[in-house]
């Protein structure tokens, strides 16, 4: 067991070693008693701009006497600052039943990747079927769309190796508390992610580094006997008497009794196929809105005040929310020093998303400014959420000029309820171009009004958030899956035994980390039943 001491504050000009020395002093231990001392969490406290500090949690491994040391420190410093860290690894229990056929995984985003990796590293040989292209071909396809407006159905921001998160900020923050989170971070560093993600409070990899991490992970699966097939979409699931017997992909029937559906939040044709097959699903809440783009310097000033250009401070990022009754408005997927990117996966639609590279060194900051919507807003049929998303995306395509430009408004005009786009300091980064629009023609009134409320509320928390020359580019519709495929406590579909809905597309995750964790969780359920091949 290790001791973790939290709440260690140092100044922004102090070296990290100062935090480690302070931990030793507070625990009253000498260097020769310590086997290892390392930071396990690092965050920034900028709530008081005159006294910005860096806050550490430090793990200490002693040669002996950990319990006595921890109890003494807790009595002096408070129970909330001192705790034991359970160093037990994630357990992978294996069953005894014989697998008749390999496990099939549909999708190679975070959930599918970590389900496949978990199985492969424990002696199973999964078959991964990814509807999109492998990384290099996918990047080429995305660039062709961004440069020339030529959309590829198999190589776009939503589909392909790595999933939608590949073209994002590579953020690894999550609200879930699960020991599998540390396991995911450790695996990512093993495949090339920066070591700092192991202890930063808001870790990120960046889209540029994440691509190589994903390819290295795929190579590990292949080296262990797994099979990864690209441009191979599951178009049917086969079952008899409520038990899975196989899947169909590229007109080939693949026999299997266990298939993990990690299809992602944009696999609309797959949702429709599963609904037609009678797989039980329901509409679920999600959020829609627009990307808001500021000068990164303005965000830094709002957060750090006079220290906005201090070399030891990270590029400023924020997370803001406000609730009025049952309706919420919040910022999502904030990309410091990044771009707003075209992200549609269907022709004649416009979808926006945000992306940052690891350096986060671009002029603008952007985030999604989104409003929660629920089946009460768009209909309770399981696929009504998909229809609502498409409605907004088709409207945006028309408002943008039917050439994949995105409709946009400056914040000043939007708050005044006037159409148009007055560009001043903020140059929109959406690479296919934007067109001045009237957002009252794009969003339902309740969404538009709540966005306006959010802008005004958030400006009180972060001065400059509602500056008039900030730019809104819409729409943001793919915040999460509009459906949930119902599953049991063992993660099986309630309709089809052996079919495992998984990750964000199935409605059980919201981001890279939680999707990866769900992939591991589902793999563990299968492993508990079956022996390695």
């Amino acid at each position: 067991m290790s001791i973790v001491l939290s709440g260690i504050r140092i100044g922004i000009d102090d070296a990290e070693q100062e935090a480690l020395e302070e931990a030793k002093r507070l625990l009253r231990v000498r260097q020769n008693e310590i086997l290892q001392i390392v930071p396990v969490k690092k965050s920034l406290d900028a709530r008081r701009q005159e006294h910005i500090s860096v806050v550490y949690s430090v793990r200490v491994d002693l040669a002996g006497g950990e319990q006595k040391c921890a109890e003494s420190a807790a009595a002096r410093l408070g129970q909330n600052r001192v705790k034991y860290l359970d160093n037990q690894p994630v357990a992978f229990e294996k069953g005894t039943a014989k697998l008749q056929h390999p496990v099939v995984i549909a999708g190679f985003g975070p959930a599918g990747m970590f389900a496949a990796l978990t199985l492969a590293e424990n002696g199973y040989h999964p078959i991964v079927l990814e509807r999109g292209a492998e990384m290099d071909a996918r990047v080429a396809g995305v660039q062709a769309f961004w440069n020339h407006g030529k959309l590829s159905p198999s190589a776009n921001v939503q589909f392909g190796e790595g999933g939608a998160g590949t073209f994002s900020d590579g953020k690894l923050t999550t609200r879930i508390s699960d020991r599998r989170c540390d396991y995911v971070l450790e695996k990512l560093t093993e495949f090339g992610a920066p070591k700092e993600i192991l202890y930063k409070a808001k870790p990120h990899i960046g889209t540029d580094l994440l691509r190589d991490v994903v390819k290295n992970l795929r190579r590990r699966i292949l080296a262990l006997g797994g099979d990864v097939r690209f441009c191979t979409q599951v178009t049917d699931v086969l079952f008899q008497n409520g038990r899975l017997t196989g899947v169909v992909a590229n007109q080939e029937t693949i026999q299997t009794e266990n298939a993990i559906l990690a299809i992602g939040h944009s696999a609309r044709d797959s949702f429709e196929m599963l609904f037609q097959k009678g797989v039980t699903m329901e509409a679920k809440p999600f959020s829609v809105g627009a990307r808001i783009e500021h000068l990164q310097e303005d965000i830094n000033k709002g957060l750090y005040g006079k220290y906005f250009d201090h070399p030891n401070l990270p590029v400023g990022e924020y997370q803001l929310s406000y609730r009025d009754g049952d309706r919420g408005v919040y910022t999502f997927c904030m990309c410091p020093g990044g771009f707003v990117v075209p992200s549609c996966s269907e022709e004649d639609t416009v979808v926006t998303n945000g992306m940052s590279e690891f350096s986060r060194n671009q002029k603008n900051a952007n985030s999604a400014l989104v409003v929660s919507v629920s089946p009460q807003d768009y209909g309770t049929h399981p696929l009504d959420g998909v229809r609502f998303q498409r409605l907004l995306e088709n409207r945006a395509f028309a408002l943008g000029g039917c050439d994949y430009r995105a409709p946009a408004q400056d914040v000043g005009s939007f708050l005044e309820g006037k159409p148009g786009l007055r560009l001043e300091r903020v140059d929109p980064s959406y690479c296919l171009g934007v067109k001045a629009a009237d957002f009252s023609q794009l969003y339902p009134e309740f969404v538009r009004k709540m966005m306006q409320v959010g802008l005004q509320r958030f400006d009180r928390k972060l001065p400059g958030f509602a500056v008039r020359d900030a730019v809104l580019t819409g729409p943001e519709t793919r915040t999460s899956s509009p459906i949930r495929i119902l599953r049991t406590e063992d993660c099986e579909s309630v309709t089809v035994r052996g079919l495992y809905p998984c990750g964000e597309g199935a409605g059980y995750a919201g981001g890279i980390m939680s999707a990866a964790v769900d992939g591991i969780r589902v793999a563990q359920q299968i492993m508990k039943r079956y022996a390695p091949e």
Side-chain angles (χ1 to χ4, degrees):
M1 303 293 284
S2 302
I3 301 170
V4 175
L5 179 62
S6 61
I8 301 172
R9 292 179 179 271
I10 63 173
I12 56 177
D13 291 314
D14 294 333
E16 186 174 90
Q17 185 62 33
E18 295 295 322
L20 305 184
E21 294 298 325
E22 179 69 359
K24 289 190 284 186
R25 186 187 69 79
L26 292 171
L27 291 175
R28 297 179 180 175
V29 294
R30 295 184 297 272
Q31 185 63 45
N32 62 1
E33 300 175 272
I34 298 173
L35 297 177
Q36 180 178 231
I37 179 167
V38 292
V40 292
K41 187 176 181 182
K42 177 184 177 182
S43 60
L44 191 72
D45 185 352
R47 289 174 296 178
R48 298 170 61 196
Q49 293 181 352
E50 295 299 316
H51 301 283
I52 299 175
S53 58
V54 185
V55 185
Y56 280 87
S57 294
V58 174
R59 190 185 85 193
V60 182
D61 299 330
L62 299 178
E66 290 96 341
Q67 183 174 352
K68 183 178 179 180
C69 177
E71 290 174 351
S72 175
R76 287 182 284 106
L77 305 173
Q79 295 286 343
N80 62 326
R81 290 192 62 187
V82 184
K83 67 177 182 179
Y84 279 125
L85 179 67
D86 185 357
N87 294 326
Q88 294 297 317
V90 176
F92 296 107
E93 178 185 350
K94 299 179 179 68
T96 58
K98 180 177 174 57
L99 274 171
Q100 300 301 315
H101 303 93
V103 177
V104 169
I105 300 170
F108 202 56
M113 288 191 301
F114 273 88
L117 179 68
T118 300
L119 289 168
E121 291 195 326
N122 285 278
Y124 305 79
H125 304 133
I127 299 173
V128 179
L129 309 176
E130 166 55 51
R131 66 185 293 166
E134 56 85 21
M135 186 63 71
D136 293 339
R138 183 184 183 196
V139 170
V142 169
Q143 288 297 336
F145 178 53
W146 289 355
N147 293 337
H148 309 294
K150 297 179 180 178
L151 180 66
S152 167
S154 63
N156 54 60
V157 168
Q158 305 298 342
F159 300 134
E161 183 172 19
T166 303
F167 293 90
S168 67
D169 186 49
K171 276 180 286 293
L172 303 174
T173 51
T174 180
R175 295 179 181 177
I176 65 173
S177 179
D178 192 306
R179 70 172 58 182
R180 299 179 188 91
C181 291
D182 290 335
Y183 179 83
V184 170
L185 294 175
E186 289 164 4
K187 285 296 178 184
L188 291 172
T189 61
E190 188 177 330
F191 297 123
K195 297 289 186 183
E196 66 182 42
I197 68 171
L198 296 174
Y199 61 87
K200 276 201 167 182
K202 297 180 179 179
H204 82 286
I205 299 178
T207 186
D208 48 342
L209 301 187
L210 184 59
R211 296 171 190 178
D212 285 333
V213 172
V214 169
K215 289 193 288 186
N216 289 337
L217 189 153
R218 181 234 303 170
R219 293 180 185 117
R220 171 68 62 82
I221 294 169
L222 295 175
L224 293 170
D227 183 6
V228 183
R229 307 177 190 177
F230 294 107
C231 298
T232 306
Q233 181 180 353
V234 172
T235 53
D236 200 0
V237 291
L238 309 176
F239 50 93
Q240 292 180 351
N241 301 320
R243 176 74 205 184
L244 186 74
T245 60
V247 301
V248 177
N250 290 10
Q251 299 182 331
E252 174 191 358
T253 297
I254 302 171
Q255 291 184 309
T256 184
E257 294 77 40
N258 299 278
I260 299 174
L261 291 176
I263 52 181
H265 61 38
S266 294
R268 295 166 171 174
D269 47 3
S270 297
F271 299 158
E272 291 166 3
M273 176 272 290
L274 292 166
F275 178 78
Q276 293 298 325
K277 295 288 291 190
V279 175
T280 303
M281 61 181 67
E282 63 184 10
K284 64 174 276 294
F286 57 102
S287 301
V288 299
R291 281 273 150 184
I292 183 166
E293 204 162 9
H294 302 87
L295 291 179
Q296 182 64 56
E297 184 175 296
D298 284 356
I299 298 301
N300 293 349
K301 288 177 178 177
L303 292 170
Y304 302 144
K306 67 181 181 181
Y307 296 107
F308 75 95
D309 59 351
H310 195 287
N312 290 349
L313 288 175
V315 179
E317 55 185 312
Y318 56 80
Q319 185 174 349
L320 304 166
S321 64
Y322 172 72
R323 180 165 288 279
D324 183 4
D326 294 331
R327 185 82 64 194
V329 56
Y330 61 98
T331 63
F332 171 78
C333 186
M334 195 266 164
C335 295
F339 314 87
V340 177
V341 295
S343 302
C344 64
S345 54
E346 299 176 341
E347 292 184 344
D348 300 339
T349 61
V350 167
V351 180
T352 64
N353 195 11
M355 186 179 83
S356 296
E357 295 182 337
F358 182 70
S359 62
R360 292 177 162 178
N361 62 357
Q362 298 301 309
K363 184 178 180 180
N364 292 352
N366 74 81
S367 73
L369 174 67
V370 291
V371 175
S372 59
V373 296
S374 70
Q376 287 69 39
D377 298 311
Y378 54 76
T380 56
H381 185 282
L383 299 178
D384 277 348
V386 171
R387 294 165 187 149
F388 180 66
Q389 288 176 325
R390 277 192 177 128
L391 173 66
L392 296 182
E393 295 164 13
N394 290 144
R395 283 179 182 172
F397 184 76
L399 287 171
C402 299
D403 56 6
Y404 295 105
R405 283 179 295 165
Q409 279 199 267
D410 62 277
V411 165
S413 297
F414 179 66
L415 287 175
E416 293 166 3
K418 299 177 180 178
L421 174 63
R422 294 174 291 185
L423 294 179
E424 296 178 15
R425 298 177 306 149
V426 180
D427 185 19
S429 60
Y430 188 87
C431 59
L432 288 174
V434 298
K435 184 177 179 181
D438 181 355
F439 278 1
S440 66
Q441 298 178 27
L442 176 57
Y443 302 104
E445 184 176 5
F446 75 88
V447 170
R448 185 170 52 86
K449 293 292 187 184
M450 198 65 181
M451 288 171 64
Q452 291 172 333
V453 169
L455 283 163
Q456 295 164 339
R457 290 278 178 168
F458 299 160
D459 195 65
R460 301 175 194 173
K461 299 179 181 179
L462 178 56
F465 190 84
V467 65
R468 68 171 303 108
D469 65 351
V471 175
L472 292 162
T473 306
E476 171 95 16
T477 54
R478 310 289 180 92
T479 53
S480 66
S481 180
I483 64 123
R484 178 174 289 110
I485 305 173
L486 301 188
R487 70 186 190 187
T488 67
E489 290 185 2
D490 294 331
C491 300
E492 281 185 297
S493 162
V494 298
T495 311
V496 183
R497 285 173 293 139
L499 190 65
Y500 293 83
C502 179
E504 192 162 353
Y508 295 97
I512 292 173
M513 280 295 291
S514 58
V517 165
D518 200 53
I520 296 169
R521 180 184 295 115
V522 170
Q524 287 174 304
Q525 291 295 330
I526 294 173
M527 289 162 53
K528 282 170 61 176
R529 295 185 181 181
Y530 297 97
E533 296 173 63

